[in-house]
Amino acid sequence: MIVDRLESDPRRRESIRVIIDGRPAWTVPVDVIREMGLTEGGVIPSGGVARLDAAAEEEGAVRAGLRLVERRAHSRFEIRRKLVHKGHADAAVSAAMARLERLRLLDDVTFAEQYVTARAGRGRGPARLRRDLGSLGVDPAIVEQAVASLLADPANDPWPRTLRIAERRASTMADLPRAARQRRLAAFFMRRGYVDARARAAVDRLIDT
């Protein structure tokens, strides 16, 4: 098999398109081209097709991962799950994740810190944050570290914001029976991870206001 041309990929300068019979056959990292010694007009060596297939599969997984992290931060678990769901082979997914980590685009510690800060700002409590991060596959030790760091600064405590939201909701329930108001407010606090005495006291106060 003869290589017609080697073209730089306009979307990723680190990648090369291998043109065979006038059509792009593979898009792979430039390092793979150098490693294999491919040249325009040269012959693909024995075993080269399998090597190019694997490199192209990895490159596709990397690009899919980059698109995901460009939209928002992801945990390692999320990235793996989504790439596998897209049909990428396990080996390609593992290699792609390793490359994303080397680029510092995949880091569960940073992800957890950003996650708890953003969600606490929306009123989610510690229990809800722990549950959510656990469902995203983040290691419990990392979760605890992130939540502890958040709560170390009283200014980051999500409770005041949660309480303000609950007060606004309670003001719209004046025409509802007491039991219905109690049930809805309790469910509101529970969804945000508050099932302690503080939440129960807030519910009692709000339904009697």
Side-chain angles (χ1 to χ4, degrees):
M1 188 178 294
I2 306 298
V3 176
D4 289 351
R5 296 190 312 280
L6 298 172
E7 299 178 347
S8 295
D9 188 331
R11 292 178 298 176
R12 274 177 59 81
R13 291 181 297 176
E14 304 88 347
S15 302
I16 298 293
R17 291 174 175 171
V18 181
I19 310 300
I20 304 292
D21 294 332
R23 297 180 179 180
W26 299 277
T27 300
V28 299
V30 65
D31 290 347
V32 173
I33 300 297
R34 293 170 181 160
E35 169 198 319
M36 296 179 62
L38 295 184
T39 59
E40 293 184 348
V43 177
I44 295 179
S46 175
V49 170
R51 176 72 180 94
L52 289 167
D53 283 345
E57 173 65 21
E58 178 183 329
E59 179 71 10
V62 168
R63 293 184 185 219
L66 286 171
R67 288 192 293 271
L68 290 171
V69 298
E70 283 172 359
R71 296 188 190 112
R72 66 167 178 83
H74 284 69
S75 68
R76 298 183 77 261
F77 174 83
E78 282 186 291
I79 290 290
R80 177 174 290 280
R81 181 182 62 192
K82 290 184 178 182
L83 292 181
V84 169
H85 181 72
K86 288 177 180 292
H88 295 287
D90 286 345
V93 170
S94 295
M97 291 179 63
R99 286 174 63 182
L100 292 173
E101 288 172 350
R102 288 195 296 272
L103 293 170
R104 298 185 178 181
L105 297 175
L106 204 55
D107 177 357
D108 274 3
V109 172
T110 301
F111 169 75
E113 291 172 349
Q114 294 175 347
Y115 187 96
V116 298
T117 299
R119 270 55 178 191
R122 300 174 192 172
R124 294 189 185 180
R128 173 66 183 273
L129 294 172
R130 291 186 181 95
R131 185 169 68 247
D132 289 351
L133 283 171
S135 71
L136 294 174
V138 180
D139 183 272
I142 294 176
V143 174
E144 287 303 321
Q145 177 184 339
V147 173
S149 295
L150 174 81
L151 299 180
D153 183 352
N156 293 328
D157 186 353
W159 173 253
R161 177 174 174 78
T162 301
L163 188 57
R164 288 195 298 271
I165 296 172
E167 289 169 345
R168 290 198 296 270
R169 291 200 171 201
S171 68
T172 67
M173 301 179 189
D175 296 333
L176 294 178
R178 177 187 175 87
R181 284 181 284 142
Q182 183 177 32
R183 184 175 62 254
R184 293 190 182 188
L185 287 169
F188 166 82
F189 283 112
M190 186 175 296
R191 286 195 301 273
R192 281 156 180 76
Y194 292 101
V195 292
D196 54 8
R198 178 170 57 173
R200 291 192 293 273
V203 171
D204 291 342
R205 178 178 64 81
L206 291 172
I207 63 176
D208 289 332
T209 299

